[in-house]
């Protein structure tokens, strides 16, 4: 027993737990990681090393208030429409709520304008339809990204590509990403993996069950049933 207690006193482990009571969008995960102490300046610098898309986005950080009790939270948005705005600024405003399975916050203030422009990007006819290989090349171009971060990020997109290939009865190399191939989705995904790595919790990540949604969702392939 004494040996057991000696072991417990010397071993420490940092873990992360996502409580996904309302789902978990990429920007929600990224905001939680920054709010937990990840240096957003270093995060931005490392992500910008993905040269092909380096000048196509900016990270916008805002302190926001949600719910009737004005609970303070952090909003981190990868803005692809207003790339030249201030890299990071904060102010308090708004209130809102989230819907299960979605990362949409409906409140008042200028952060909602950023979200609206972000979502409208998906319906643009000239949106890039990147292949799995295209996304891999973008990630691998990041010379400031640790190899482990590249590997984990690519693994995320590979899982998505395999699902797409199955749905469309095609092979991995023929998959064309739509929404998840957009610049903000790539930065969100790699940013989350990088942020977890920077916090030292990439291998100690846990989450609650994901709530199931229902209804319809608009995608690049038209309206689809969620069930």
């Amino acid at each position: 027993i004494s040996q057991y207690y000696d072991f417990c006193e010397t071993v420490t482990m940092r873990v992360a737990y996502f409580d996904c009571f309302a789902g978990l969008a990429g920007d929600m995960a990224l905001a939680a990681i920054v709010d937990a102490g990840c240096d957003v300046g270093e995060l931005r610098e490392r992500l910008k090393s993905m040269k092909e898309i380096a000048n196509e986005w900016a990270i916008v950080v805002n302190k926001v208030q949600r719910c009737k009790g004005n609970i303070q939270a952090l909003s981190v948005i990868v803005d692809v429409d207003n790339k030249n705005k201030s890299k990071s600024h904060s102010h308090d405003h708004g209130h809102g709520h989230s819907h299960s399975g979605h990362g949409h916050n409906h409140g008042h203030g200028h952060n909602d304008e950023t979200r609206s422009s972000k979502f409208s990007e998906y319906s643009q006819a000239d949106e890039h339809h990147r292949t799995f290989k295209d996304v891999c090349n973008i990630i691998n171009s990041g010379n400031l990204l640790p190899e482990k971060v590249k590997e984990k990020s690519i693994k995320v997109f590979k899982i998505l590509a395999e699902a797409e290939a199955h749905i469309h009865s095609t092979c991995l190399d023929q998959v064309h990403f739509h929404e998840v191939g957009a610049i903000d989705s790539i930065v969100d995904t790699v940013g989350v993996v990088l942020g977890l790595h920077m916090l030292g919790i990439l291998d100690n990540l846990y989450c609650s069950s994901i709530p199931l949604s229902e209804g319809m969702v608009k995608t690049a392939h038209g309206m689809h049933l969620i069930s």
Side-chain angles (χ1 to χ4, degrees), residues 18 26-34 38-40 42-48 50 53 57 59 76 78 139 145-146 149-150 152-154 156-157 183-199 202:
F18 284 107
D27 59 337
M28 295 164 65
L30 192 60
I33 290 168
V34 172
C38 181
D39 186 328
V40 70
E42 181 182 351
L43 184 77
R44 181 190 298 111
E45 181 183 2
R46 289 180 178 272
L47 291 172
K48 285 289 185 180
M50 295 187 289
I53 60 173
W57 58 271
I59 288 181
V76 177
V78 177
I139 295 172
L145 298 177
V149 170
K150 293 180 183 179
K152 293 274 189 179
S153 299
I154 289 173
V156 172
F157 281 100
I183 290 171
D184 57 328
S185 295
I186 295 172
V187 177
D188 274 342
T189 302
V190 181
V192 167
V193 177
L194 175 60
L196 291 170
H197 174 82
M198 290 169 60
L199 290 176
L202 184 55

Side-chain angles (χ1 to χ4, degrees), residues 27 81 103-104 114-123 184:
D27 59 337
D81 291 320
H104 316 329
T114 301
R115 282 183 176 273
S116 297
S117 63
K118 176 180 176 181
F119 295 141
S120 67
E121 169 197 358
Y122 298 153
S123 62
D184 57 328

Side-chain angles (χ1 to χ4, degrees), residues 15 24 26 32 46 52 86 92 109-110 116 123 130 133 138 141 148 167 179 197 201 209 212 214-216 220:
V15 301
L24 185 66
R46 289 180 178 272
E52 183 177 332
S86 174
D92 297 330
H110 111 138
S116 297
S123 62
R130 295 181 175 87
K133 183 177 180 180
I138 290 173
S141 72
K148 189 171 185 177
I167 291 171
E179 290 85 357
H197 174 82
I201 49 180
S209 59
L212 299 179
E214 60 183 18
M216 303 292 290

Side-chain angles (χ1 to χ4, degrees), residues 100-155:
S100 180
H102 300 280
H104 316 329
N105 285 316
H106 303 282
H108 302 290
H110 111 138
N111 189 51
D112 300 304
E113 182 180 344
T114 301
R115 282 183 176 273
S116 297
S117 63
K118 176 180 176 181
F119 295 141
S120 67
E121 169 197 358
Y122 298 153
S123 62
Q124 293 177 4
D126 60 348
E127 172 60 43
H128 295 294
H129 294 170
R130 295 181 175 87
T131 64
F132 174 58
K133 183 177 180 180
D134 291 334
V135 175
C136 290
N137 288 337
I138 290 173
I139 295 172
N140 283 323
S141 72
N143 63 310
L144 296 182
L145 298 177
E147 287 302 315
K148 189 171 185 177
V149 170
K150 293 180 183 179
E151 292 171 6
K152 293 274 189 179
S153 299
I154 289 173
K155 185 177 180 179

